[in-house]
Amino acid sequence: MNSQFGLANVWSQGDIVTKSVALLLLVMSLASWMVIIIKTLDLIKYKKIAKSAEDFWHSEDFAAGLAKLGSDPANPFRQLALEGREATLHHRNTKAHLHDTLDVSDWVTRTLRNAIDEFTSRLQSGLAILASVGSTAPFVGLFGTVWGIYHALLAIGLAGQATIDKVAGPIGESLIMTALGLAVAIPAVLGYNALVRGNKSVLQKLNRFAHDMHAYFVTGARVSAGTSAKVLPIAKKA
């Protein structure tokens, strides 16, 4: 292929608008790949944590179960256990607050839901960048193409000739901008969809754990464990 269709030639012959569009696409690509890599690593970590969360229910007491969840403050399952315990103890030990109009079930539900909502916000942070890049990058590239074709046609008009060798180069270089826009948008869209599916899987496991945790704090037994559930004593706050 003729070297005049290369990216280097597009950059060297482009004006300030063309170069600005190319730089914008580069920044969008870097931002989307950073989000994809960081969120993928986080998702892998949370999936490993979710697999180990089942060990909590095979503990002799709450403290032992909490130890099995580890000491990482970013562990959402550990955070749910702590929030549920604190909510239960606080409801039992205070008598003169507005939340006393709620029974312990409603109070624990509210606390666990707040913890899940906070984790959900943290889990989904950055996805807006991928959605924005995926939806706007093709149009940014298309703008670069239209701008390049416009100036290519102006140059051809001034030259007074429209032979194929004079048209192919400028038009081909302009169309590269569309290809760049698609090259930026496609990974962002695929990454967004994959991360949304992965996040949904983690949140489903977290909601299931919260449901069992709610039953444990209210009744003393895990719902899904049935009548054979072992009652874990709630350790008081140190």
Side-chain angles (χ1 to χ4, degrees):
M1 181 179 292
N2 197 317
S3 61
Q4 66 177 342
F5 292 99
L7 292 177
N9 198 57
V10 173
W11 178 264
S12 62
Q13 294 187 3
D15 58 6
I16 185 63
V17 175
T18 302
K19 292 180 179 180
S20 297
V21 171
L23 287 176
L24 179 58
L25 289 174
L26 177 61
V27 171
M28 295 170 72
S29 179
L30 291 176
S32 61
W33 277 109
M34 286 179 62
V35 171
I36 290 173
I37 293 173
I38 293 174
K39 302 305 292 186
T40 299
L41 294 177
D42 287 343
L43 193 57
I44 292 174
K45 179 182 71 173
Y46 290 134
K47 284 187 174 181
K48 290 182 179 179
I49 291 175
K51 289 182 180 179
S52 63
E54 187 64 24
D55 295 337
F56 175 87
W57 301 108
H58 301 286
S59 307
E60 296 180 357
D61 55 28
F62 186 87
L66 199 61
K68 289 183 178 181
L69 293 178
S71 58
D72 185 3
N75 185 338
F77 296 88
R78 180 179 185 274
Q79 190 63 29
L80 274 182
L82 291 176
E83 292 285 349
R85 182 186 67 178
E86 293 303 313
T88 304
L89 295 177
H90 186 70
H91 191 278
R92 291 176 181 177
N93 297 331
T94 58
K95 302 299 181 182
H97 295 85
L98 289 176
H99 68 67
D100 291 320
T101 59
L102 299 173
D103 59 27
V104 64
S105 177
D106 293 335
W107 180 246
V108 173
T109 297
R110 177 179 178 274
T111 302
L112 294 178
R113 175 50 56 191
N114 288 341
I116 291 176
D117 288 344
E118 290 179 3
F119 174 72
T120 301
S121 297
R122 187 166 71 250
L123 192 65
Q124 295 179 345
S125 63
L127 294 185
I129 295 177
L130 295 182
S132 299
V133 170
S135 60
T136 60
F139 298 101
V140 173
L142 184 60
F143 172 77
T145 295
V146 172
W147 184 267
I149 291 176
Y150 169 71
H151 281 274
L153 293 177
L154 286 181
I156 293 172
L158 292 176
Q161 296 179 351
T163 58
I164 189 62
D165 59 325
K166 293 185 177 297
V167 174
I171 300 300
E173 293 166 5
S174 300
L175 292 175
I176 288 178
M177 300 302 293
T178 299
L180 290 177
L182 294 175
V184 173
I186 291 175
V189 172
L190 295 178
Y192 176 85
N193 292 334
L195 290 174
V196 167
R197 289 194 299 269
N199 290 349
K200 183 178 180 180
S201 175
V202 172
L203 289 174
Q204 286 177 342
K205 295 178 181 178
L206 188 63
N207 277 285
R208 191 179 305 119
F209 183 81
H211 180 71
D212 291 337
M213 189 63 65
H214 171 270
Y216 163 67
F217 284 118
V218 174
T219 68
R222 178 188 181 191
V223 168
S224 60
T227 57
S228 62
K230 182 186 294 183
V231 176
L232 304 182
I234 300 177
K236 294 185 177 181
K237 185 179 180 180

